[in-house]
Amino acid sequence: DSEPDRPQHSALATTVQQLRVEVHEVSVAHDERTAWAPHQLGFAVSSGEVVCLAGPSGSGKSTALALVLGLRQPDEGGITVVCDGLQHSLADIDLASWHRHVAWVDQVPFVMDGSVADNLRLARGDADGPALQSALARSGLSMDLGRTISARSISAGERRRLGLARALLRAPALLVLDEPTAGLDADTEDVVLRTIRSESDRGAAVVIATHHPATIAAADRVVHL
């Protein structure tokens, strides 16, 4: 829940038109296992692209997303962020500045006790009713904005789609998704995948960790871990 301690680093511009994230042969060691995961992972994603990180459980997909988010540092390798032609090492960027341009949907997104609208506005407090309804519809979620929900009252699939709807409200330069279609039926999965594609068409760079065949097939490029 807290960001890693680091000195004050450089801030990115408030707006970013073109973004490229380059992951350079990163490896992460884990205390609880002997194998590195990921190990010497390299890939890049640019605005307008969907890149899938595919591989079995334990191969380091979620850890790779944490590296891209700046929430974890690689033991080997590094990550470069290119914003509108200006190149930065992710390790040198102020995290709050980086996260203004990023939306992340975890496998278990946060849900607070409150209305659907309250949960959505965690992402954008000034979002009006039509914007909230649009985000819900695009995520394949049919819920009344005034409905009271909690982490216990909705399914895992609904929780993921609620997280996706929050991400859509942010219109990020980088959209990071961890197993976004897990637990969804084929029709709902198709809705979610079309929405993800529409985000890349808008200009977002999209990185997805998944092992679902339909999600992998929808990507522009697949990186196998």
Side-chain angles (χ1 to χ4, degrees), residues 3 68-71 94-103 170:
E3 295 182 345
V68 169
L69 291 164
L71 300 178
D94 173 66
L95 276 185
S97 170
W98 175 230
H99 290 164
R100 280 197 295 270
H101 302 293
V102 178
R170 290 174 58 83

Side-chain angles (χ1 to χ4, degrees), residues 141-143 147 153-163 184:
L141 195 56
S142 178
M143 283 186 176
R147 174 184 166 185
S153 69
I154 61 176
S155 69
E158 288 174 326
R159 192 166 176 164
R160 285 190 181 92
R161 283 175 284 161
L162 183 68
L184 303 183

Side-chain angles (χ1 to χ4, degrees), residues 32 39 42 49 59 63 86 95 102 108 119 122 136 139-140 171 177-178 185 197 203 205 207:
E32 68 276 12
H39 180 57
E49 290 185 323
S59 60
T63 301
L86 297 177
L95 276 185
V102 178
V108 188
N119 273 274
L122 290 173
L136 284 178
S139 67
L177 306 167
D178 198 348
D185 60 63
R197 173 55 63 185
V207 180

Side-chain angles (χ1 to χ4, degrees), residues 110 112 114-133 135-136 145-146 149 162 165-167 169-170:
F110 173 73
M112 70 175 184
S115 70
V116 172
D118 290 338
N119 273 274
L120 291 173
R121 287 195 175 106
L122 290 173
R124 210 183 93 204
D126 64 347
D128 59 18
L132 300 181
Q133 291 286 9
L136 284 178
L145 290 175
I149 60 173
L162 183 68
R166 274 200 296 249
L169 285 168
R170 290 174 58 83

Side-chain angles (χ1 to χ4, degrees), residues 21-79:
V21 180
E22 301 171 352
V23 178
H24 305 288
E25 302 301 314
V26 297
S27 298
V28 176
H30 301 267
D31 293 337
E32 68 276 12
R33 60 176 104 160
T34 57
W36 297 53
H39 180 57
Q40 295 182 347
L41 172 64
F43 71 92
V45 61
S46 299
S47 298
E49 290 185 323
V50 178
V51 172
C52 269
L53 307 182
S57 296
S59 60
K61 299 189 300 297
S62 294
T63 301
L65 298 187
L67 296 176
V68 169
L69 291 164
L71 300 178
R72 185 162 186 166
Q73 297 300 310
D75 294 298
E76 293 182 355
I79 299 174

Side-chain angles (χ1 to χ4, degrees), residues 181 189 193 210-218:
T181 60
E189 180 179 50
L193 291 178
T210 188
H211 63 270
H212 285 251
T215 306
I216 293 170

Side-chain angles (χ1 to χ4, degrees), residues 85-98:
L86 297 177
Q87 183 170 299
H88 313 261
S89 169
L90 181 55
D92 295 333
I93 299 173
D94 173 66
L95 276 185
S97 170
W98 175 230

